[in-house]
Amino acid sequence: MKKSPFFFLTLFSIVIFCFSNCKPDEPDFPPIRTLADVQEDFSNMDISPGTHDETLKFLNEKSWNFRVIAPQTISGQTYPLVIHLHGASGGDPDAHKSTDCYVEPGFENIETFILSPNGGIELWNSFSNQEMVINLILLAKANWPIDPDKIVVTGYSNGGNGSWFFGETQGPALISAAIPMASSYTTLSTNGSVRVMPIPMYVIHGENDELFPVEETEAWVTQSVDAGSDITFVVAPGLTHPEPCEYVPYLKDAVTWLTDVVWQ
């Protein structure tokens, strides 16, 4: 049977309709996050006196978890900033919250901001942790009443090693002093030369540290001092490695060194 022209017109209309309306669902991509978004989110964080646990979404789906402890009285002045790097935690999601053991009581006699990031399972000198720590310092300087000449990095064990690392690589441009505790960080380069630290350091080490022998750390400190570094080395009598809370009186002495010598 001969088909009418209307049949072909109807068929053509159906095909066109399907091509224009029966397309597969397109993926719903989230909006691209910019540095301006990161800066805005950081600037909106609560820095009222006390402790605040924060998550900041960075770029490329990265999120940073960190604790902020703000001074008890925030007036029209600037404050020091303490960067606290926790020890190896096996990826503990709450590792950045371990501030009450030594860093809070150690700095209790001065008004300061404390920023304690979570480094996950990676060492503090990994690229991702460098990205996090450096950017958090820059964001804090840009948004909080921070004295840019009074930024100190401190930590215990793996955090102590991170304190050496950031002190060496980011001082004095971002960091003015470092207080590594129970650390193991060579000051020798691969060619055998001794590296000079660019900022003052106060290194505290337990006498009976079974993980990082005190003699090894002291030798690295002595070599660097002889090469021109400004490093104070203090041995904590009788202390072993898993005793970070016992370092409080030695950390308090380091804070006195900060205020009376480095930040005078």
Side-chain angles (χ1 to χ4, degrees), residues 125-137:
N125 63 356
S126 69
F127 175 80
S128 60
N129 278 338
Q130 289 186 59
E131 180 182 55
M132 173 177 62
V133 171
I134 292 171
N135 276 289
L136 285 176
I137 293 174

Side-chain angles (χ1 to χ4, degrees), residues 237-257:
L239 292 189
T240 61
H241 192 77
E243 296 183 279
C245 302
E246 302 304 316
Y247 272 62
V248 171
Y250 304 98
L251 182 54
K252 286 188 172 183
D253 289 342
V255 173
T256 300
W257 165 81

Side-chain angles (χ1 to χ4, degrees), residues 102 112 114:
Y102 57 84
T112 181
I114 297 175

Side-chain angles (χ1 to χ4, degrees), residues 42-221:
F42 193 93
S43 68
N44 289 330
M45 286 182 179
D46 183 5
I47 58 165
S48 59
T51 300
H52 311 279
D53 293 321
E54 304 286 354
T55 297
L56 177 67
K57 187 177 178 183
F58 193 56
L59 308 178
N60 302 321
E61 301 303 313
K62 293 181 181 179
S63 291
W64 298 335
N65 297 314
F66 53 95
R67 167 167 284 187
V68 177
I69 303 176
Q72 289 305 307
T73 55
I74 299 179
S75 57
Q77 65 184 78
T78 57
Y79 298 85
L81 173 63
V82 177
I83 304 299
H84 166 248
L85 307 179
H86 62 73
S89 64
D92 182 354
D94 292 327
H96 57 292
K97 301 176 183 178
S98 60
T99 56
D100 59 348
C101 173
Y102 57 84
V103 70
E104 288 185 65
F107 282 86
E108 67 182 359
N109 293 329
I110 65 172
E111 288 283 278
T112 181
F113 281 91
I114 297 175
L115 198 160
S116 178
N118 192 311
I121 61 174
E122 298 183 5
L123 297 178
W124 286 108
N125 63 356
S126 69
F127 175 80
S128 60
N129 278 338
Q130 289 186 59
E131 180 182 55
M132 173 177 62
V133 171
I134 292 171
N135 276 289
L136 285 176
I137 293 174
L138 293 173
L139 287 165
K141 286 177 60 178
N143 292 279
W144 302 345
I146 299 297
D147 186 334
D149 296 322
K150 295 182 178 180
I151 299 178
V152 59
V153 59
T154 188
Y156 192 90
S157 191
N158 181 47
N161 297 343
S163 302
W164 275 98
F165 175 78
F166 284 105
E168 180 176 13
T169 61
Q170 301 304 317
L174 282 184
I175 295 172
S176 62
I179 308 175
M181 295 178 283
S183 60
S184 179
Y185 187 87
T186 181
T187 56
L188 296 176
S189 299
T190 54
N191 63 4
S193 63
V194 179
R195 303 195 307 282
V196 176
M197 300 298 111
I199 58 173
M201 294 190 173
Y202 195 102
V203 179
I204 311 169
H205 208 95
E207 178 186 27
N208 297 326
D209 192 315
E210 65 278 26
L211 183 61
F212 299 145
V214 64
E215 297 82 7
E216 186 174 56
T217 297
E218 185 173 17
W220 287 327
V221 168

